């Protein structure tokens, strides 16, 4: 099941803070990720839209969210249970959506109109989206929405340089009001707190302050007319009145008699952000009503903080060199979130302390390769942007980025210790990075400049190898000295993949010359075997026990070999399983274009029974190696904003003049585009909006056996077994029931109860039975467990460490199981290794947290002792007082810093 999306933190759309202000909701492609800033975690909602997400609206209570994509399809999502409640189509592209502060209505801006809907309530409804009113007025596309605090009115900005104020109810003195005064498109409009006073901001950096002559309490409800006032009126008047109730048509210049007795606005002031006159478009803005804080972002990456209505500048800083696409302020006004779509940046800044709460950036170009650390805690990725990023699988955050490569990274791998990362690049270098000091401590080069296409490190971590793309050679270096040990020649084509055997000193190299060569390190790198293939080799990998070799070739086949005897043991034909889509500009059908597609990424599962394969397709296939059948096919994306997603061509885009995909309709539509040509004001005609093609560039299975990851066009996708709840019994019998299990616990038949609980395999029942065992009887019970169940108990303990508070109790269980069954588990090391690694990962995480807490407490105790000693030295010179006062002051001075430090330590652990 899909678990998380890493590697991409923001792509397009608007950012939102949750009600408590501790989490940021960020749209990433056609998915939505929630970044928990307090607990330092990120999670992706288990849902996806048909196109890239364009806007997200959050209800005031934080329970519901409306997610709208570029095609106008909307999802009503419950953020509590993280599920989709309703689907709706707005029949047009929606620019923004906003809930009213009371949560009863929401408004969407679509085209040049605004539509108000009844917000879905907590009770079940036949239709969750009921249209209340449609508001007309602007001549061009509407861009932004803002509500008054009492939900009586809302304002809508437009690209026609006007701002419209509409009444949410039928007010007698305010139906609509049009405001001008700008010379460019409106970017944002904001009401003042508890007032109808309004701020409007345009793209050219102008801010207008509007004062209203009426307070919100001065709005008068409109008296009922027509059929409501007189039941004798005809049907025509009745229908007209009903149409007036559901439609509001605004006029920019109403008649004088219509203005009498109505609300009036007057402009108090007009301010400009770009006083120097430089052409720098204002692209995003946010306003915090309680603190009167205005935040504005520009196309150059600069943002300003102003205090309104005086327009006092507080800060002017630069967060990026790219356009600021979205800004959000949390409820307290302390944290400001910035989204930069150009580089995929997401920043959360605390403006009072001038410090970053969150600073994340994905690969702004496609990711090419990934690797898991030996304990499964970290994932390293390399991209075409030349960056190497290391991600924490538990939190989902990138904690270090290496930028030493000057060209695209082609391969990444961990050494066996897990503290060294080795990468290869097209810049002609292979680099080794230290995760202790976060530095590049080795750089390996070839005698002649060459481009490296892949990298591999042996099981000892002492030998580094890289394959060349242009010289057809394999280079071998020593990790200790950094010297070139050997150059392996023999291939007649570019090297596509390298892999060391996990158990022997054997290197397998795959090449486009239709061979896989096995090189023996113990025998002076002599070629022991050459495996002949029927097509070009694209990927090669060893089974975790080293007894089998899998090779993916250009003809969509996966062949399996015995490396000892150089004998082929099986093959899988994967052409029909790839099922590639048809690109918009393809001249041939998807069925015929699939002949040129193949698997380019290959890896074994942790137990070696299955193999994962992916390539130029939206599918990742899992095959059973022994049976050579397809076990499951994962669809990594349904995002139609990517190319090659649909199997058949969209006939509606075909005209007599050709395909509409050839016409770049959105050129120059983005705010703040680059202006490379003199005299061009709205973008360069030569610039094109590229539609990236869906593909899988790399696959890796976690050493823990619980999840696997894929680098794709969408980002780094992680699929996990831990993200779903299912009923998966083991050797189930009709006599095994929860009642019988609990009865066995009451009769102190603890071993029998544990065996029955694992056969039923319900997590809550397993936890109840294991925790009912007294800690001093754990050794006796664990020694009586059959060997078949020991592995399952270890897997359960590893998963329980992540959620349970009974740390010492489960550590006792782990210790006794490993002491009693250690020798027998060692004989089945290959099968048990994923469970042991999963256990090591969870225990190591707890160790790091407890060590950090102990360090904080030790420091605070030392600080308290130092303060008490200092007070003791000063005591004789102080005036004498009562003994109780002296003791009280001692307690205050000594204990206060300790309590303060303990609180910080707890926060650090969280």
């Amino acid at each position: 099941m899909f678990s998380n999306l890493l590697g991409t933190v923001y792509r397009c759309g608007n950012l939102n803070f949750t009600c408590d202000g501790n989490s940021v909701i960020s749209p990433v492609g056609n998915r939505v990720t929630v970044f928990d800033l307090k607990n330092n975690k990120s999670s992706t909602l288990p849902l996806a839209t048909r196109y890239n997400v364009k806007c997200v609206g959050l209800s005031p209570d934080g329970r519901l969210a409306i997610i709208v994509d570029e095609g106008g399809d909307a999802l009503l999502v419950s953020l509590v249970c993280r599920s989709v409640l309703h689907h709706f189509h707005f029949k047009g592209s929606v620019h923004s959506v906003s809930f009213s502060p009371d949560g009863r209505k929401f408004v969407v801006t679509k085209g040049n109109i605004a539509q108000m809907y009844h917000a879905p309530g907590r009770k079940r409804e036949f239709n969750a989206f009921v249209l209340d009113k449609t508001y007309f007025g602007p001549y061009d596309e509407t861009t932004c929405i803002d509500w008054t605090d009492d939900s009586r009115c809302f304002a809508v900005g437009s690209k026609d340089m006007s701002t419209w104020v509409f009444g949410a109810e039928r007010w007698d003195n305010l139906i609509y009001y049009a405001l001008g005064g700008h010379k460019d498109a409106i970017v944002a409009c904001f009401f003042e707190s508890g007032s109808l006073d309004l701020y409007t901001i345009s793209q050219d950096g102008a801010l207008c302050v509007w004062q209203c002559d009426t307070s919100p309490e001065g709005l008068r409800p409109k008296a009922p007319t027509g059929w409501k006032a007189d039941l004798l009126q005809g049907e025509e008047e009745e229908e007209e009145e009903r149409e007036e109730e559901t439609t509001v048509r605004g006029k920019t210049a109403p008649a004088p008699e219509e203005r009498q007795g109505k609300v009036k606005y007057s402009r108090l002031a007009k301010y400009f952000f770009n006083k120097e006159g430089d052409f720098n478009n204002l692209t995003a803005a946010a306003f915090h009503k309680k603190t009167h804080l205005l935040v504005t972002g520009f196309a150059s990456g600069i943002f300003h903080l102003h205090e309104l209505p005086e327009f006092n500048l507080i800060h002017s800083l630069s967060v990026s060199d790219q356009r600021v696409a979205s800004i959000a302020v949390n409820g307290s006004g302390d944290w400001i979130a910035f989204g930069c779509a150009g580089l995929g940046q997401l920043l959360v800044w605390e403006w009072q302390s001038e410090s970053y709460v969150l600073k994340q950036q994905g690969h702004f170009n496609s990711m090419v390769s990934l690797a898991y650390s030996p304990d499964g805690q970290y994932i390293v990725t390399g991209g075409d942007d030349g960056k190497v990023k290391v991600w924490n699988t538990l939190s989902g955050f990138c904690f270090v980025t290496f930028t030493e490569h000057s060209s695209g990274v082609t391969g990444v791998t961990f050494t066996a210790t897990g503290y060294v990362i080795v990468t290869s690049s097209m810049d002609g270098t292979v680099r080794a990075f230290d995760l202790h000091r976060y530095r590049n401590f080795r750089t390996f080069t070839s005698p002649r400049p060459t481009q490296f296409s892949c990298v591999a490190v042996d099981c000892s971590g002492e030998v580094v190898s890289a394959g060349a793309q242009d010289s057809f050679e394999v280079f071998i270096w020593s990790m200790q000295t950094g010297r070139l040990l050997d150059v392996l020649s023999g291939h007649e084509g570019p090297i596509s993949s390298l892999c060391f055997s996990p158990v022997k000193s054997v290197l397998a190299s795959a090449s486009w010359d239709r061979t896989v060569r096995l090189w023996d390190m113990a025998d002076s790198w002599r070629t022991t075997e050459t495996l002949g293939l029927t097509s070009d080799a694209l990927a090669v990998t060893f089974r975790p026990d080293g007894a089998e070799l899998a090779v993916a070739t250009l003809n969509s086949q996966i062949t399996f070999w015995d490396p000892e005897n150089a004998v082929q043991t099986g093959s899988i034909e994967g052409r029909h399983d790839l099922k590639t889509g048809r690109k918009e500009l393809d001249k041939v059908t998807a069925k015929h274009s699939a002949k040129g597609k193949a698997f380019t990424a290959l890896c074994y599962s942790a137990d070696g029974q299955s193999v994962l394969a992916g390539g130029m397709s939206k599918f990742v296939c899992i095959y059973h190696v022994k049976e050579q059948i397809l076990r499951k096919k994962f669809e990594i994306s349904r995002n139609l904003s990517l190319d090659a997603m649909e199997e058949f061509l969209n006939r509606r885009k075909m005209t007599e003049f050709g395909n509409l995909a050839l016409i770049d309709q959105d050129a120059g539509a983005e705010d703040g585009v680059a202006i490379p040509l003199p005299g061009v004001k709205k973008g360069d005609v030569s610039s094109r909006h590229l539609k990236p093609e869906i593909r899988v560039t790399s696959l890796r299975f976690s050493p823990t056996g619980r999840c696997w990851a894929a680098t794709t066009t969408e980002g780094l996708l992680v699929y996990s077994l831990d993200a779903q709840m299912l009923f998966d019994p083991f050797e189930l019998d009709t006599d095994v029931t929860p009642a019988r299990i609990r009865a066995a616990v009451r009769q102190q038949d603890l071993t029998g109860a544990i065996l029955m609980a694992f056969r039923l395999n319900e997590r809550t029942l397993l936890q109840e039975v294991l925790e009912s065992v007294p800690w001093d009887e754990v050794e006796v019970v664990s020694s009586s467990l059959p060997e078949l169940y020991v592995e399952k108990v270890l897997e359960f303990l590893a998963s329980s460490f992540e959620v349970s508070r009974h740390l010492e109790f489960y550590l006792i269980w782990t210790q006794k199981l490993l002491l009693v069954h250690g020798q027998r588990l060692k004989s089945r090391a290959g099968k048990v290794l994923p469970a042991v690694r999963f256990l090591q990962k969870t225990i190591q995480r707890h160790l790091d947290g407890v060590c950090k807490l102990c360090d904080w407490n030790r420091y605070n105790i030392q600080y308290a002792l130092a303060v008490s000693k200092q007070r003791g030295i000063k005591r004789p010179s102080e005036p004498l007082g009562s003994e109780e006062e002296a003791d009280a002051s001692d307690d205050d001075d000594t204990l206060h810093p300790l309590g303060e430090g303990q609180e910080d330590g707890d926060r650090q652990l969280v």
Side-chain angles (χ1 to χ4, degrees):
M1 181 179 176
F2 175 75
S3 173
N4 209 353
L5 172 64
L6 308 179
T8 312
V9 292
Y10 175 77
R11 191 162 291 170
C12 61
N14 63 310
L15 300 171
N16 286 274
F17 274 98
T18 54
C19 295
D20 57 5
N22 294 328
S23 301
V24 178
I25 298 176
S26 171
V28 183
N30 68 332
R31 300 181 184 272
V32 175
T33 302
V34 181
F35 294 93
D36 189 345
L37 306 176
K38 187 176 181 180
N39 298 316
N40 195 35
K41 284 187 178 181
S42 70
S43 61
T44 304
L45 298 180
L47 53 94
T49 56
R50 295 179 71 239
Y51 294 90
N52 285 336
V53 175
K54 192 166 187 180
C55 54
V56 179
L58 203 61
S59 64
D61 59 1
R63 293 174 175 269
L64 299 176
I66 297 176
I67 302 171
V68 189
D69 64 14
E70 294 171 346
D73 288 309
L75 301 178
L76 176 65
V77 179
S78 169
L79 296 179
V80 179
C81 59
R82 299 163 64 90
S83 60
V84 178
L85 304 180
H86 187 67
H87 294 260
F88 189 76
H89 187 60
F90 284 111
K91 300 178 181 177
S93 180
V94 174
H95 190 279
S96 56
V97 57
S98 177
F99 276 87
S100 61
D102 60 6
R104 296 172 57 193
K105 304 285 181 68
F106 70 89
V107 173
V108 296
T109 56
K110 181 184 70 173
N112 64 339
I113 63 173
Q115 292 181 326
M116 184 167 66
Y117 288 82
H118 291 284
R122 297 184 184 179
K123 60 183 180 180
R124 290 188 176 182
E125 295 170 317
F126 176 73
N127 187 6
F129 291 75
V130 178
L131 180 63
D132 186 18
K133 291 185 182 67
T134 302
Y135 297 86
F136 295 86
Y139 294 103
D140 206 343
E141 290 185 15
T142 48
T143 57
C144 54
I145 312 168
D146 192 56
W147 286 84
T148 56
D149 289 342
D150 53 8
S151 304
R152 296 187 178 193
C153 305
F154 65 91
V156 174
S158 171
K159 287 186 178 179
D160 64 2
M161 301 174 285
S162 65
T163 305
W164 294 74
V165 181
F166 293 107
E169 305 293 338
R170 292 183 57 81
W171 306 114
D172 185 37
N173 52 345
L174 178 59
I175 300 175
Y176 62 88
Y177 201 100
L179 302 171
H182 287 280
K183 297 180 180 180
D184 208 339
I186 304 297
V187 174
C189 54
F190 306 106
F191 280 104
E192 185 60 82
S193 179
S195 170
L196 292 178
D197 296 346
L198 192 66
Y199 302 104
T200 58
I201 305 170
S202 61
Q203 189 173 321
D204 59 354
L207 167 67
C208 289
V209 182
W210 302 90
Q211 186 180 29
C212 183
D213 64 350
T214 308
S215 65
E217 293 77 15
L219 296 175
R220 302 186 303 270
K222 191 171 184 179
T225 58
W227 65 277
K228 290 183 179 179
D230 189 0
L231 296 176
L232 300 177
Q233 291 290 334
E235 293 182 0
E236 294 182 2
E237 292 184 6
E238 185 176 333
E239 291 177 0
E240 288 177 5
E241 184 64 30
R242 286 176 180 173
E243 185 182 353
E244 287 177 7
E245 286 184 356
T246 58
T247 305
V248 177
R249 297 185 180 274
K251 302 176 184 178
T252 54
E257 57 270 14
E258 293 181 14
R259 300 180 185 178
Q260 293 181 0
K262 304 294 185 182
V263 168
K264 292 183 181 179
Y265 276 90
S266 59
R267 192 173 75 185
L268 288 182
K270 188 173 184 180
Y271 303 102
F272 295 93
F273 293 92
N274 300 324
K275 295 180 180 179
E276 293 80 7
D278 57 336
F279 188 80
N280 188 9
N281 284 346
L282 190 149
T283 56
F287 180 62
H288 191 259
K289 296 183 180 181
K290 294 180 182 178
T291 57
H292 303 280
L293 181 70
L294 175 67
V295 189
T296 50
F298 294 84
S300 61
I302 296 173
F303 73 93
H304 297 329
L305 267 68
H306 286 87
E307 186 182 8
L308 295 182
E310 292 83 8
F311 200 66
N312 296 326
L313 182 64
I314 302 173
H315 282 298
S316 180
L317 297 171
S318 176
V319 293
S320 171
D321 56 356
Q322 296 287 323
R323 168 179 175 266
V324 179
S326 179
I327 299 176
V329 184
N330 73 339
S332 62
D334 297 327
W335 293 349
I336 305 170
F338 300 94
C340 300
L343 295 177
Q345 290 176 315
L346 177 63
L347 311 169
V348 180
W349 194 61
E350 188 173 4
W351 65 274
Q352 291 176 334
S353 63
E354 300 184 25
S355 61
Y356 283 110
V357 179
L358 173 70
K359 188 177 183 181
Q360 291 286 301
Q361 177 182 339
H363 293 275
F364 64 85
N365 215 328
S366 59
M367 279 183 285
V368 175
S369 55
L370 83 138
Y372 268 99
S373 63
D375 58 0
Q377 285 199 71
Y378 307 120
I379 295 178
V380 58
T381 58
D384 284 338
D385 55 0
K387 293 182 180 179
V388 178
K389 290 180 173 288
V390 187
W391 307 82
N392 189 314
T393 57
L394 187 68
S395 67
F397 288 121
C398 170
F399 62 91
V400 62
T401 301
F402 299 108
T403 58
E404 278 78 5
H405 283 296
S406 58
S407 187
V409 177
T410 56
V412 294
T413 185
F414 273 94
T415 60
T417 60
Y419 297 113
V420 176
I421 297 170
V422 182
T423 62
S424 61
S425 172
M426 300 293 281
D427 63 2
T429 63
V430 173
R431 297 177 183 270
F433 300 95
D434 182 9
L435 285 186
H436 282 303
R437 298 177 179 85
Y438 300 124
R439 64 186 181 93
N440 174 209
F441 70 95
R442 285 281 186 275
T443 301
F444 309 101
T445 57
S446 57
R448 298 187 308 275
T450 185
Q451 294 178 327
F452 295 113
S453 58
C454 50
V455 68
V457 181
D458 74 329
C459 54
S460 66
E462 298 295 328
V463 178
V464 180
S465 66
Q469 194 168 356
D470 43 10
S471 64
F472 314 154
E473 296 170 329
V474 179
F475 295 86
I476 308 294
W477 295 275
S478 167
M479 178 72 80
Q480 290 289 338
T481 62
R483 295 178 59 185
L484 181 65
L485 299 179
D486 207 343
V487 179
L488 310 181
S489 303
H491 281 295
E492 299 174 0
I495 311 298
S496 56
S497 181
L498 292 175
C499 186
F500 271 99
S501 171
V503 293
K504 290 186 178 180
S505 55
V506 174
L507 173 67
S509 61
S511 172
W512 291 5
D513 62 0
R514 301 189 177 188
T515 62
V516 171
R517 292 177 178 264
L518 302 180
W519 313 84
D520 192 354
M521 183 173 63
D523 194 9
S524 303
W525 295 107
R526 186 176 59 86
T527 306
T528 57
E529 298 291 349
T530 300
L531 311 179
L533 305 172
T534 57
S535 186
D536 299 1
L538 302 179
V540 63
T541 182
F542 273 98
R543 204 166 69 183
D545 60 0
E548 191 175 66
L549 188 72
V551 184
T553 54
L554 191 59
N555 58 358
S556 303
Q557 281 189 349
I558 302 173
T559 55
F560 302 97
W561 299 79
D562 179 5
E564 285 289 329
N565 306 314
V567 177
Q568 182 174 341
T569 58
S571 67
I572 294 173
E573 179 64 48
R575 187 185 305 277
H576 300 293
D577 300 326
L578 268 173
K579 209 171 183 180
T580 56
R582 182 172 182 175
K583 292 194 285 187
E584 286 185 339
L585 302 180
D586 275 351
K587 303 297 183 183
V588 295
T589 62
K591 182 178 180 181
H592 291 89
S593 68
K595 292 181 180 179
K597 305 296 174 64
F599 293 120
T600 57
L602 204 64
C603 78
Y604 274 95
S605 60
D607 57 5
Q609 295 184 4
S610 304
V611 66
L612 273 74
M616 301 290 286
S617 167
K618 62 179 179 179
F619 293 105
V620 172
C621 303
I622 298 185
Y623 294 98
H624 193 281
V625 177
K626 189 175 182 181
E627 303 293 337
Q628 297 179 10
I629 57 173
L630 179 67
R631 301 184 67 171
K632 190 173 178 62
K633 191 157 62 171
F634 291 91
E635 188 176 8
I636 58 173
S637 178
R638 296 181 181 177
N639 189 0
L640 297 180
S641 297
L642 303 174
D643 208 357
M645 287 297 297
E646 296 181 285
E647 189 175 352
F648 301 102
L649 198 63
N650 190 351
R651 297 294 178 185
R652 288 175 293 180
K653 293 185 178 180
M654 297 301 296
T655 66
E656 57 179 322
F657 304 107
N659 195 339
L660 287 177
L662 291 168
I663 304 172
D664 191 11
Q665 297 176 347
D666 297 329
E670 291 291 333
D671 301 331
V673 293
I675 306 173
L677 299 178
V680 177
K681 295 296 183 185
K682 290 295 182 182
D684 187 3
V685 181
S686 65
S687 64
R688 293 285 179 255
H689 288 265
L690 178 66
K691 202 172 182 182
E693 183 182 352
I694 184 68
R695 58 180 174 178
V696 180
T697 53
S698 183
L699 287 168
R700 287 294 181 270
F701 219 99
S702 172
T704 63
R706 304 295 298 173
C707 55
W708 58 273
T711 54
T712 68
T713 313
E714 285 278 66
L716 174 61
L717 304 178
V718 180
Y719 289 80
S720 174
L721 288 174
D722 304 320
Q724 60 182 345
M725 296 180 63
L726 51 87
F727 178 63
D728 186 18
F730 174 72
E731 295 184 354
L732 189 61
D733 197 358
T734 54
D735 297 334
V736 179
T737 61
R740 287 202 59 184
I741 294 172
R742 291 187 175 96
V745 172
R746 288 193 296 271
Q747 295 169 8
Q748 294 298 307
D749 183 10
L750 300 176
T751 305
I754 291 174
L755 296 182
M756 285 193 290
F758 273 99
R759 289 171 69 182
L760 194 60
N761 206 10
E762 283 190 6
R763 181 169 182 82
T764 54
L765 194 60
L766 279 168
Q767 184 176 349
E768 180 184 340
V769 173
L770 278 179
E771 292 180 0
S772 64
V773 178
W775 68 271
D776 53 350
E777 296 184 21
V778 170
E779 186 173 5
V780 178
V781 174
S782 60
S783 61
S784 61
L785 287 176
E787 189 177 346
L788 185 62
Y789 287 84
V790 173
E791 183 183 350
K792 293 186 172 296
V793 177
L794 288 175
E795 287 180 358
F796 177 79
L797 291 174
S799 59
S800 298
F801 273 120
E802 295 188 343
V803 293
S804 178
R805 294 175 296 174
H806 306 300
L807 183 60
E808 185 181 3
F809 179 74
Y810 284 118
L811 282 173
I812 293 173
W813 262 105
T814 306
Q815 182 189 26
K816 301 303 181 185
L817 277 173
L818 294 177
L819 284 174
V820 173
H821 299 276
Q823 289 297 327
R824 282 173 287 180
L825 289 175
K826 194 172 182 180
S827 62
R828 297 188 300 120
K831 195 172 182 181
V832 184
L833 190 60
V836 175
R837 282 177 172 165
F838 186 31
L839 196 64
Q840 179 193 0
K841 172 187 172 182
T842 53
I843 294 176
Q844 183 67 39
R845 185 175 62 84
H846 278 292
L847 176 63
D848 294 342
V850 172
C851 287
K852 194 175 292 185
L853 180 63
C854 291
D855 289 342
W856 270 97
N857 289 340
R858 186 184 297 113
Y859 167 76
N860 290 319
I861 291 172
Q862 291 173 354
Y863 173 75
L865 292 173
V867 170
S868 62
K869 287 180 181 178
Q870 191 175 8
R871 292 289 182 182
I873 294 171
K874 291 182 178 180
R875 183 74 59 197
S877 62
E878 291 177 357
L880 293 173
S882 64
E883 212 169 342
E884 290 81 12
E885 286 177 2
D887 290 338
S889 64
D890 259 352
D891 289 342
D892 286 345
D893 291 338
T894 306
L895 293 178
H896 178 67
L898 180 60
E900 203 173 26
Q902 285 177 343
E903 197 173 292
D904 285 344
D906 290 342
R907 193 182 303 116
Q908 185 71 24
L909 178 63
V910 170

